[in-house]
């Protein structure tokens, strides 16, 4: 059984650019959630995907968008990057109907916007 | 208004002591409660979950839940230097996603 994998591990982008982050879910998990964790803060919910459709969204602007593919892998896209987008981006997978088991997080992508 | 609140610390305890971490959550229908441990520069790791009022023990860890007081805590017995990390409290409300607190930084002093 494989865990949740994210790529890349680190990324440096310039303000105004666009970025795509990738996540492969743990085997058998059909739900992917994305979180943003700024330095010294707890993870903030961005959105969740279930069976390729968005299934809930946090307080993030539309320039944060996502996709989930038939194999349950997922992408997070951020357009028009701002300095405040610098953070650790975490992907978590779960069984949607078994949310009580909590999430398995990937190792994260550290994004730095300069 | 924050959904989940934790004392950011830092909390320092001597090796072998009991570390007590606390979390309160807002007045909503809450369903599941989780404690995650996060080492510096790493992603959160699930260590405990609790759903019913009372205590739940797993090795040196005990989670305590009081829904009437909207309070959940984590006790770490016989604290070890390797327990030094940030501990995140997470709550699942009606939706199938988690709300996290800001975390409490714990340092165990040898």
């Amino acid at each position: 059984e494989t865990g949740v994998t994210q790529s890349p591990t680190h990324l440096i982008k310039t303000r105004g650019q666009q970025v795509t982050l990738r996540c492969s879910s743990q085997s058998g998990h059909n739900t992917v959630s994305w979180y943003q964790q700024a330095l010294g803060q707890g993870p903030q919910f961005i959105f969740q995907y279930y069976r390729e459709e968005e299934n809930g969204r946090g307080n993030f602007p539309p320039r944060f968008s996502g996709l989930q593919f038939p194999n349950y892998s997922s992408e997070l896209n951020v357009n028009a990057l701002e300095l405040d987008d610098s953070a650790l981006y975490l992907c978590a997978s779960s069984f949607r109907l078994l949310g009580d088991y909590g999430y398995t997080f990937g190792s994260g992508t550290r994004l730095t916007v300069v | 208004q924050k959904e989940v609140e934790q004392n950011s610390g830092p909390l320092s305890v001597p090796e072998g002591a009991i570390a007590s971490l606390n979390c309160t959550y807002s007045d909503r229908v809450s369903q599941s409660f989780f404690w995650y441990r996060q080492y510096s520069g790493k992603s959160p790791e699930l260590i405990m979950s609790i759903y019913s009022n009372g205590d739940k023990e797993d090795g040196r860890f005990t989670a305590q839940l009081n829904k009437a007081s909207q309070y959940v805590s984590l006790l770490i017995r016989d604290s070890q230097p390797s327990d030094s990390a940030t501990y995140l409290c997470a709550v699942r409300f009606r939706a199938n996603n988690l709300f996290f607190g800001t975390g409490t930084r714990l340092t165990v002093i040898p």
Side-chain angles (χ1 to χ4, degrees), chain B residues 47-101:
Chain B
I47 55 173
M48 288 286 289
S49 60
I50 187 167
Y51 322 122
S52 304
N53 280 327
D55 295 359
K56 179 181 178 181
E57 186 174 317
D58 184 0
R60 296 187 295 112
F61 298 97
T62 299
Q64 300 175 316
L65 175 61
N66 184 326
K67 289 188 177 183
S69 300
Q70 295 165 219
Y71 177 88
V72 58
S73 66
L74 179 70
L75 301 178
I76 306 175
R77 292 182 299 281
D78 187 23
S79 295
Q80 301 297 309
S82 59
D83 294 327
S84 297
T86 296
Y87 289 81
L88 296 163
C89 172
V91 178
R92 184 170 77 89
F93 299 107
R94 278 182 288 265
N96 192 42
N97 55 65
L98 298 183
F99 289 87
F100 285 84

Side-chain angles (χ1 to χ4, degrees), chain A residues 70-83:
Chain A
N71 66 353
Y72 303 132
S73 65
S74 177
E75 287 183 354
L76 164 65
N77 298 289
V78 187
N79 294 321
L81 284 166
E82 301 177 358
L83 297 179

Side-chain angles (χ1 to χ4, degrees), chain A residues 31 33 35 37 40-45 48 88 90 94-97 99-103 105-108 110, chain B residues 2 31-34 36 38 41-46 49-51 86 88 92 95-103:
Chain A
T31 302
S33 302
Y35 285 81
Q37 187 176 23
Q41 300 297 314
Q44 297 293 311
F45 175 67
Q48 182 183 81
L88 178 67
L90 296 163
S94 65
F95 290 110
R96 180 175 186 267
L97 297 181
D100 285 349
Y101 287 83
Y103 288 168
F105 281 98
S107 56
R110 173 74 61 185
Chain B
K2 291 186 178 180
Q31 298 181 324
S32 312
F33 307 85
F34 304 88
Y36 284 81
Q38 186 173 28
K42 303 296 185 181
S43 62
E45 171 193 12
L46 179 65
S49 60
I50 187 167
Y51 322 122
T86 296
L88 296 163
R92 184 170 77 89
N96 192 42
N97 55 65
L98 298 183
F99 289 87
F100 285 84
T102 55

Side-chain angles (χ1 to χ4, degrees), chain A residues 8-12 37-39 87-89 108-112, chain B residues 41-42:
Chain A
T9 55
H10 295 85
L11 201 54
I12 300 175
Q37 187 176 23
L39 198 61
L88 178 67
Y89 287 84
T109 294
R110 173 74 61 185
L111 173 66
T112 302
Chain B
K42 303 296 185 181

